[in-house]
């Protein structure tokens, strides 16, 4: 196939483009029943060589087609694309499934058939966990979401995933009316907050007596490919790190604001947890890192700098309380050499910008806000230029195809959304560029895959995910985002199947053993929830 499009679809008024490797005239065909007829023709625009894919590509612009319906593209060589839909609501089911996917990660409870359907399973990981450094100390830390295709639970990734959801909800609440069919549905609280609370209740257990957050809760080694309820290995609480504690302070402060309108007592617990973590940070002004003990192979999530995490914590606590000491810390950290625009687990600085710049009460100083605003627009403009340069419209350069590259794409989409919100009427370019990131994820890419399970005619089907491999069900749950292409695959199957010199965008295999190319994680789904919630807001 050499015509690539968003396999889910396009909203009527948006820019619509497909990418083709053949020039000449292209047609858009509308499918009605058994037949298809041409509704639009145009000349494909020669974009030359696209370095990330190694393809000579052409753009087929069919923005003029606005009528709701099912379509496909045919290029000058007679090749056709997958089908897609044009409709105002094309991303609704997608947003629902992306969010519901997190429910399937719930740990420490059974997934009942009436919510999980055929993906039901019995209760997992209910034993108390021992401190890694003193196995005689046991703690009750049941709950939370499995991080990814493994059964570990890690504080920083959890905080980041929850923050994506909490910001999605607080900025675009009108996009979250739909029921997710989870145990709490119908309790008067939007389901995204019900689902997120499952993670937050677990996070509340991950704080030690001094306020520090344990870096992670995992077994010593990753489980074999077994169902979660069959994994009986002991779980350990690994030492507190400053990165986890700062992320923890930040997300707890943010969550205390979001949940206050629904449950003041819960909001108080979250806020106290945030204060406890902040006082730990004050007592430990130096970086306290985490590295896996030699015998341990579960996720490390190490980070050699905790300033962006401290920046985020200061921003959230400032926005929550208006207190001067947080402003002082924010001012101090804003002068450090930080990016201020990222939303991943290694660099959370963009959340400080989100907190400050979307705060309706403007609690941060004008200087701080201006500093962050400048950084957001500088990065949004850079990304817009990169996307314009890319034959696929994606804001990625060849070197950006790292492990979990789809997270980079989605986080960049988030930053573009933030710029669109701040730019107001002048934000159309940022919005359309943000949308192009979603189109890339959903099929406008050089491997022709929709990187979301169950969404698109050619969606990936073999995520590296233990339950998916063991449950005997042919298809994975819908709504999972793949990690995506990685220019230097790190798993044996990926290394074997991808010849050296393959262009970065093509370094992908839909294979369950490809943990460096095709795993799923909570924090690869959560920015996609943010992006789709933005698009579904009206
Ligand atoms: O997402 C993480 C990626 O950025 C790192 O390069 C990689 C290697 O350290 O680890 C990834 O995180 C994995 C984690 O360690 C354990 N759970 C699954 C994560 C996704 O592959
Ligand atoms: Zn579990």
């Amino acid at each position: 196939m050499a015509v690539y499009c968003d396999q889910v679809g396009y909203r009527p008024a948006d820019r619509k483009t497909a990418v083709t490797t053949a020039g000449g005239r292209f047609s858009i065909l509308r499918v009605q029943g058994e037949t298809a007829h041409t509704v639009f023709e145009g000349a494909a625009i020669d974009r030359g060589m696209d370095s990330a894919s190694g393809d000579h590509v052409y753009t087929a612009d069919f923005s003029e087609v606005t009528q709701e319906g099912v379509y496909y593209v045919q290029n000058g060589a007679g090749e056709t694309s997958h089908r897609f839909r044009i409709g105002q609501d094309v991303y609704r089911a997608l947003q629902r499934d992306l969010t519901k996917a997190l429910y399937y990660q719930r740990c420490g409870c059974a997934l009942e058939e009436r919510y999980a359907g055929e993906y039901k399973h019995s209760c997992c990981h209910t034993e108390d966990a021992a401190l890694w450094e003193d196995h005689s100390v046991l703690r009750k830390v049941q709950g939370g979401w499995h991080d990814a295709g493994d059964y570990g639970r890690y504080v920083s990734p959890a905080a980041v995933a929850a923050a994506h959801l909490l910001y999605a909800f607080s900025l675009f609440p009108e996009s979250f009316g739909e029921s997710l069919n989870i145990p709490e549905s119908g309790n008067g609280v939007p389901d995204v907050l019900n689902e997120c609370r499952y993670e937050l209740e677990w996070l509340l257990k991950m704080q030690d007596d001094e306020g520090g957050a344990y870096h992670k809760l995992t077994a010593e080694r990753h489980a074999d490919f077994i169902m979660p309820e069959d994994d009986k290995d002991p779980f350990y609480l690994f030492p507190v790190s400053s990165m986890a504690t700062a992320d923890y302070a930040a997300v707890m402060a943010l969550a205390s604001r979001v949940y206050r309108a629904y449950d003041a007592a819960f909001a108080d617990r979250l806020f106290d947890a945030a204060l406890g973590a902040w006082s730990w940070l004050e007592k430990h002004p130096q970086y306290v890192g985490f590295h896996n003990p030699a015998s341990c192979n579960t996720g490390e999530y190490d980070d050699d700098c905790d300033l962006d995490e401290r920046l985020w914590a200061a921003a959230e606590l400032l926005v929550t309380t208006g207190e001067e000491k947080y402003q002082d810390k924010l001012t101090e950290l804003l002068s450090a050499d930080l990016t201020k625009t990222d939303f991943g687990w290694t660099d959370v600085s963009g959340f400080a910008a989100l907190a400050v710049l979307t705060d309706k009460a403007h609690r941060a100083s004008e200087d701080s806000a201006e500093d962050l605003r400048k950084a957001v627009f500088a990065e949004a403009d850079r990304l817009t230029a990169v996307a314009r340069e890319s034959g696929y419209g994606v804001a990625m350069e060849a070197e950006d195809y790292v492990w979990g590259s789809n997270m980079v794409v989605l986080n960049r989409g988030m930053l573009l959304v933030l710029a669109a919100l701040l730019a107001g009427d002048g934000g159309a370019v940022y919005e359309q560029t943000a949308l192009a990131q979603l189109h890339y994820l959903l099929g406008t890419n050089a491997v022709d895959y929709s990187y979301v399970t169950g969404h698109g005619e050619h969606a990936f089907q073999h995520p590296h995910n233990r339950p998916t491999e063991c449950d005997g069900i042919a298809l994975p749950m819908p709504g999972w985002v793949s990690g995506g292409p990685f220019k230097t695959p790190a798993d044996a199957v990926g290394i074997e199947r991808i010849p050296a010199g393959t262009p970065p965008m093509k370094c992908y295999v839909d294979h369950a053993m490809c943990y460096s190319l095709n795993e799923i994680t909570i924090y690869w789904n959560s920015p996609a929830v943010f992006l789709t919630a933005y698009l579904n807001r009206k």
Side-chain angles (χ1 to χ4, degrees), residues 147-148 150 154 222 299-301 345 403 515 519 521 523-524:
D147 176 60
D150 65 312
Y154 309 79
H222 281 308
E300 189 164 55
Y301 290 116
W345 62 264
W403 187 322
Y515 57 84
E519 191 162 354
T521 74
Y523 54 90
W524 295 339

Side-chain angles (χ1 to χ4, degrees), residues 173-254:
E174 62 276 28
S175 301
F176 288 95
E178 209 173 328
S179 168
L180 294 179
N181 184 31
I182 56 177
E184 301 79 8
S185 294
N187 66 356
V189 178
D191 270 350
V192 65
L193 297 188
N194 284 325
E195 193 49 57
C196 197
R197 182 167 180 164
Y198 195 82
E199 185 75 335
L200 292 164
E201 291 280 7
W202 165 72
L203 275 172
L204 283 166
K205 302 174 187 172
M206 289 295 285
Q207 192 165 32
D208 81 355
D209 299 338
E210 265 90 63
Y214 297 110
H215 193 77
K216 65 172 178 174
L217 167 64
T218 72
E220 186 170 2
R221 318 276 307 165
H222 281 308
D224 292 337
F225 272 70
I226 51 176
M227 287 299 283
E229 64 270 32
D230 298 328
D231 177 18
K232 302 294 183 199
D233 280 350
F235 270 54
Y236 299 98
L237 284 159
F238 289 78
V240 167
S241 68
S242 54
M243 171 207 190
T245 304
D247 286 332
Y248 191 94
V251 76
M252 289 295 169
L254 163 62

Side-chain angles (χ1 to χ4, degrees), residues 15 17-26 42-51 54-61 76 388-393:
R15 177 156 193 260
T17 57
V19 174
T20 151
T21 50
R25 290 190 73 74
F26 70 91
I45 300 155
D46 191 347
R47 298 294 314 276
M49 179 56 74
D50 172 72
S51 58
D55 293 336
H56 187 137
V57 296
Y58 302 79
T59 305
D61 191 329
R388 209 174 275 143
E389 193 61 30
S390 157
Y392 288 82

